[in-house]
Amino acid sequence: MEQRPQRGRPSGFADLMRPGERLAALIYLPVHVFAMPLLLLPLLWRACPEMSTVDLNLAYYCIGFAFVFISCRRFLRAGFDRALDAPGAFFVSVFWAYALQFALSLVFSAVIYLLLPEGLSSPNNEAIEAMIPQGLNKLVAISVFLGPIVEEVLFRGLIYGALRRRSRALAWAVSIAAFSLYHVWQFALTEPLMLVSAVLYIPASAALNWSYERSGSIWAPIAFHMLTNAIGLA
């Protein structure tokens, strides 16, 4: 049985992603965000027109999961070890991240209501709701398990971790903007005003950053991401 090295209680943020893992994730990021949705998935649908939207999304995230698991497995393991070294800090960071998201969501909802009396909805959430009849179990696999791991490795592990060494403020700003736009940019191709709905993802993205910063383990934002998506589906 593999023995983990004994370490003292970790404190503060630590970028645990190795240079080779960061390079692999950096190469895959535009593939995941742009190339696959615009090229690979349409080709897959033409080759297998019987595939449903949820099937295409399942293939999309299975490919992403396979890539990050293979190329960033040491990073995932290091984050898991760090969580085990300080389980209290890990669970506290997840709990307070949820509280932070809840508080920020209330503030953002009030501001959006004042600025946009008709309200603002997320096209991504509407798309997820439309996929429920196509296969709830597949949707749970995507939203609760595969998606959080892939997205957190890319947006927290790669973007936030790389920029945090240079500027904490820059890391927060870029990772929040990238994560928020990631969820809506495809809808904006046909309706540009949909970009405004990216603001709905700012509270969750800020909470994910906070949990990563406080715990130093990528598994804290992954766990929080899984929790919020599971609650949303429920």
Side-chain angles (χ1 to χ4, degrees):
M1 178 180 296
E2 181 182 352
Q3 298 294 325
R4 293 195 303 115
Q6 296 298 316
R7 298 188 295 268
R9 179 186 175 90
S11 59
F13 178 77
D15 179 16
L16 302 176
M17 183 173 281
R18 300 186 178 190
E21 293 175 317
R22 177 165 289 110
L23 178 60
L26 183 61
I27 293 173
Y28 179 68
L29 179 64
V31 174
H32 181 79
V33 175
F34 300 112
M36 288 179 62
L38 294 178
L39 299 175
L40 181 60
L41 293 185
L43 289 175
L44 184 61
W45 183 77
R46 289 190 182 95
C48 305
E50 70 277 5
M51 293 183 70
S52 65
T53 305
V54 73
D55 289 329
L56 291 171
N57 276 271
L58 182 60
Y60 171 63
Y61 278 105
C62 281
I63 294 172
F65 176 80
F67 183 88
V68 300
F69 183 79
I70 293 171
S71 63
C72 300
R73 61 187 182 279
R74 294 181 183 274
F75 171 63
L76 291 168
R77 174 59 190 269
F80 188 75
D81 289 345
R82 189 173 176 88
L84 291 180
D85 288 336
F90 175 85
F91 286 109
V92 167
S93 69
V94 174
F95 172 81
W96 283 112
Y98 191 82
L100 176 62
Q101 182 197 24
F102 181 77
L104 290 177
S105 295
L106 291 179
V107 174
F108 270 73
S109 297
V111 172
I112 289 171
Y113 179 78
L114 291 175
L115 297 179
L116 301 171
E118 296 181 358
L120 183 65
S121 61
S122 166
N124 185 65
N125 289 349
E126 293 175 358
I128 291 174
E129 291 176 4
M131 285 189 286
I132 290 177
Q134 300 175 15
L136 181 58
N137 291 337
K138 295 176 183 178
L139 195 56
V140 169
I142 296 167
S143 300
V144 181
F145 297 103
L146 301 175
I149 295 176
V150 175
E151 293 172 10
E152 293 314 308
V153 169
L154 296 177
F155 292 100
R156 244 58 59 183
L158 171 63
I159 296 178
Y160 185 87
L163 295 176
R164 172 85 168 52
R165 295 178 297 170
R166 295 173 173 80
S167 168
R168 186 179 181 184
L170 182 63
W172 274 78
V174 173
S175 60
I176 288 176
F179 182 78
S180 300
L181 291 171
Y182 165 72
H183 286 85
V184 302
W185 75 267
Q186 293 182 61
F187 302 98
L189 293 177
T190 55
E191 191 172 346
L193 287 178
M194 286 293 184
L195 280 177
V196 178
S197 63
V199 301
L200 296 173
Y201 292 90
I202 293 177
S205 187
L208 288 163
N209 283 355
W210 190 89
S211 66
Y212 188 33
E213 174 81 24
R214 295 288 295 180
S215 68
S217 169
I218 192 62
W219 287 99
I222 288 175
F224 170 63
H225 200 153
M226 289 178 171
L227 174 65
T228 55
N229 282 4
I231 292 174
L233 281 178

